[in-house]
Amino acid sequence: MPEQPLMSLDEIRDRLDLGDTQMLEWLATRASLVREVARIKEAKGVSLQSADREASMFARKQIQCRVLGLDFHYVAELVSLMIWHSKQIECDELGRDTFLDTNPVSPERLHEQLLELTAVEAPRYDTYLRGEGADAVSSYIDRELESIESAAREAPNRALALDLGCATGQVAEFLESRFERVRGFDISPAMIEHARARRDWSGGVELEVRDLDDGIPAGDGTVSFAVANFGAASELAADLPRELARVLRPGGTAVLSWYNRDALVNEWFYPWPATVHSHLNPHNDTLEVWSGGSVYTIRARAMTVDGARRACESAGLEFRLAGTYPTLQPILPAFVARSPRARALYDACRQLDDHLAAPGVDRGSCIIAVVARPNG
């Protein structure tokens, strides 16, 4: 005799309906509590943004999901949506336009956070760029390398290339076979340590700990080619274009990447574990980077395409927009990129991003530009 089911289909559906009703009642209670939280925060002068709390909560949820046998990525999306809606409730309660922190962060704090973040991320940075689940980041790096390869061919000679904000030396390695000398600079001792240990470098490569806010350590008109990629142009000093105009040879070229103030992803800022796990805050020119159960806030002067063009041209550099990229991939939930069933959707978004990168759309996460010091 076949084993009889414990409940009929109708009984199961009734239980599911009851659970749904209880969930709605819980959400109503949660919304009421969130409004009270908003009032308390305002009375205490506390920011509506609670990134550290949310990051630690996601870390706990990951452990709970393993215990309960649930898919963390699915649960994380649901929790993220609840957080996002909670922030909207807080804004409505207090009559604010944004829940993001609009107060400036001190340079000392940003510097401290950057060193803490890079110390944590340096050992796994290469995996972040190219490892499992790094589809959107890897796609962006590939796009940048195309621009770097093309611009490097325009350099007046092969004498000297600079990697500004070199991290673990991915771009320096790319340049090593193309230039006689490559100098990579990074403010992080941890990144430089891992860069030096990552591979056997030729004698023409130098990797140095250097705070580029003090200027680019190169003589006037001595540099054939320079790169500040993966948003580094936003993280370095605001006078970067003028410094490049000083150090580049006549005809020398550079590839620069800024965080895009007009990016589509900025229109829907909430803490989901998306494929690119950082959030630009254009209100105070910072970037929140989620790393495990912690959030680090670093400097990130977001630019518009027109703003980047003006900054470079006012420094005496020619400006050519290579495009903004990626547009759709950064807003895709992580489970889309990771799910075999949703892979076709992710691949389609990647193909669309190639079209959206064309100048004129300008909604990608980063601005990629090629600049040059004019001849003569």
Side-chain angles (χ1 to χ4, degrees):
M1 293 288 292
E3 186 176 340
Q4 294 297 314
L6 296 177
M7 291 185 290
S8 69
L9 185 59
D10 286 340
E11 288 172 327
I12 293 173
R13 286 171 173 165
D14 287 343
R15 290 192 64 176
L16 289 172
D17 287 343
L18 176 61
D20 290 345
T21 299
Q22 292 171 335
M23 180 177 64
L24 293 176
E25 292 172 349
W26 174 79
L27 288 174
T29 300
R30 192 178 196 281
S32 178
L33 292 172
V34 166
R35 282 189 284 272
E36 182 63 22
V37 166
R39 291 190 289 269
I40 293 172
K41 285 180 176 179
E42 183 174 47
K44 292 186 173 183
V46 176
S47 172
L48 298 185
Q49 203 168 358
S50 306
D52 285 327
R53 170 178 163 76
E54 290 152 9
S56 62
M57 181 175 66
F58 279 116
R60 293 195 303 274
K61 292 290 184 286
Q62 192 162 15
I63 295 171
Q64 292 167 346
C65 286
R66 283 200 297 266
V67 172
L68 297 172
L70 294 172
D71 181 352
F72 168 70
H73 296 295
Y74 169 68
V75 172
E77 298 302 329
L78 296 178
V79 173
S80 295
L81 282 170
M82 287 193 300
I83 293 172
W84 187 80
H85 282 289
S86 294
K87 297 306 179 187
Q88 306 315 304
I89 292 171
E90 290 184 44
C91 287
D92 291 343
E93 181 68 22
L94 302 179
R96 298 188 188 180
D97 294 330
T98 180
F99 62 85
L100 297 177
D101 191 358
T102 58
N103 296 316
V105 183
S106 71
E108 294 78 14
R109 178 61 176 163
L110 294 174
H111 181 267
E112 175 186 299
Q113 288 270 286
L114 177 59
L115 293 183
E116 290 179 7
L117 170 64
T118 53
V120 170
E121 286 295 316
R124 58 193 184 206
Y125 188 72
D126 292 340
T127 301
Y128 170 70
L129 296 181
R130 295 295 190 182
E132 182 182 356
D135 301 76
V137 176
S138 181
S139 175
Y140 175 74
I141 294 298
D142 288 342
R143 188 86 185 187
E144 277 192 334
L145 289 177
E146 291 177 8
S147 296
I148 293 170
E149 176 71 58
S150 175
R153 288 197 293 266
E154 301 177 27
N157 58 45
R158 307 286 101 191
L160 174 61
L162 303 183
D163 185 358
L164 307 175
C166 65
T168 58
Q170 295 269 346
V171 171
E173 181 178 355
F174 186 82
L175 299 174
E176 183 180 17
S177 62
R178 294 164 173 82
F179 290 88
E180 297 168 17
R181 289 182 64 210
V182 176
R183 298 183 69 193
F185 307 109
D186 201 283
I187 195 173
S188 168
M191 286 292 188
I192 291 297
E193 178 184 353
H194 281 271
R196 289 170 177 166
R198 191 170 64 81
R199 61 188 298 274
D200 291 328
W201 297 93
S202 70
V205 177
E206 305 167 41
L207 302 170
E208 306 173 33
V209 178
R210 179 75 67 157
D211 185 349
L212 294 175
D213 280 4
D214 298 329
I216 297 174
D220 295 359
T222 60
V223 176
S224 306
F225 185 67
V227 177
N229 75 310
F230 204 26
S234 282
E235 297 172 14
L236 299 176
D239 65 351
L240 176 64
R242 293 197 179 279
E243 272 292 277
L244 284 172
R246 177 183 68 81
V247 302
L248 285 174
R249 293 173 178 268
T253 57
V255 175
L256 305 179
S257 167
W258 291 271
Y259 300 117
N260 184 9
R261 188 175 291 272
D262 292 333
L264 179 64
V265 69
N266 298 340
E267 305 297 333
W268 197 4
F269 182 114
Y270 78 101
W272 64 7
T275 48
V276 178
H277 210 174
S278 59
H279 298 300
L280 179 69
N281 183 349
H283 298 279
N284 63 6
D285 283 333
T286 61
L287 185 74
E288 284 185 358
V289 183
W290 289 48
S291 177
S294 300
V295 177
Y296 300 87
T297 302
I298 65 174
R299 183 173 71 188
R301 296 187 183 91
M303 297 284 274
T304 63
V305 169
D306 286 343
R309 185 187 306 276
R310 288 193 300 270
C312 291
E313 291 180 347
S314 66
L317 296 171
E318 297 173 350
F319 180 96
R320 298 196 304 275
L321 181 65
T324 68
Y325 190 90
T327 300
L328 299 177
Q329 292 173 75
I331 65 173
L332 286 176
F335 77 83
V336 171
R338 293 172 184 270
S339 171
R341 297 183 184 90
R343 191 67 201 185
L345 171 61
Y346 179 81
D347 290 341
C349 286
R350 183 169 179 167
Q351 292 168 6
L352 285 169
D353 276 349
D354 289 337
H355 293 285
L356 294 172
V361 180
D362 301 340
R363 302 306 297 274
S365 295
C366 284
I367 300 166
I368 307 174
V370 178
V371 302
R373 179 179 170 183
N375 281 300

